[in-house]
Amino acid sequence: MQAWGAREITFVDNGRVSYSNPARQWLYTFEDSKMNKPKAQTAAERLKEVFPDLNTTGVEITIPMPGHIVQGEAAVKECVEATKKIEELIKSHDVLFLLLDSREARWLPTLLGTVHKKARTIYIIHR
């Protein structure tokens, strides 16, 4: 991170650390999976332990995806709020690293990144 000049990193994920994560992802431990910790916040904390000068944040949010039906007033409100939050995050950052499992999940961040002329790198992580 330091060689890149990065000083602020935000992790976005709605998942929890599972028992398979520590074997594949160095930011998580077995204890994290036992405690069912939120992935984004835990990753932010661990990266800060590695490089204390970083400003890291974890945001727990579900990315709205095309083809996924949103039913009910509360769900629609949550979807709209999530979209606004994702757009705010994209606007306030320089580069997007899309470490998402599906095309559907990458669609909205890619679209918003293009609209706001942000550099992005797409990584596909298979679980």
Side-chain angles (χ1 to χ4, degrees):
M1 300 322 144
Q2 188 171 9
W4 296 351
R7 289 291 182 267
E8 185 168 334
I9 296 176
T10 303
F11 293 91
V12 178
D13 199 315
N14 72 334
R16 299 282 175 170
V17 180
S18 70
Y19 288 106
S20 66
N21 292 129
R24 299 176 290 114
Q25 299 156 341
W26 64 270
L27 291 173
Y28 305 118
T29 67
F30 180 71
E31 287 300 313
D32 297 332
S33 56
K34 279 178 40 178
M35 296 172 62
N36 198 30
K37 286 187 169 184
K39 281 185 172 181
Q41 185 61 36
T42 303
E45 291 166 2
R46 285 289 150 56
L47 192 54
K48 185 118 175 115
E49 289 172 8
V50 173
F51 185 27
D53 290 340
L54 281 176
N55 179 16
T56 61
T57 307
V59 177
E60 194 171 340
I61 195 167
T62 299
I63 299 173
M65 295 184 270
H68 291 235
I69 297 170
V70 179
Q71 293 182 351
E73 191 174 323
V76 169
K77 183 179 178 187
E78 183 180 320
C79 183
V80 169
E81 288 174 6
T83 301
K84 287 179 183 177
K85 180 65 178 175
I86 291 165
E87 186 167 25
E88 287 172 18
L89 288 167
I90 288 171
K91 287 166 76 172
S92 67
H93 289 73
D94 297 320
V95 179
L96 311 177
F97 289 91
L98 302 176
L99 307 170
L100 302 160
D101 295 329
S102 69
R103 276 186 238 150
E104 292 85 3
R106 291 188 296 272
W107 180 81
L108 181 62
T110 299
L111 177 68
L112 292 172
T114 300
V115 166
H116 295 291
K117 297 177 175 47
K118 301 295 178 166
R120 69 188 174 283
T121 302
I122 300 174
Y123 292 94
I124 301 169
I125 305 298
H126 296 284
R127 293 182 181 193

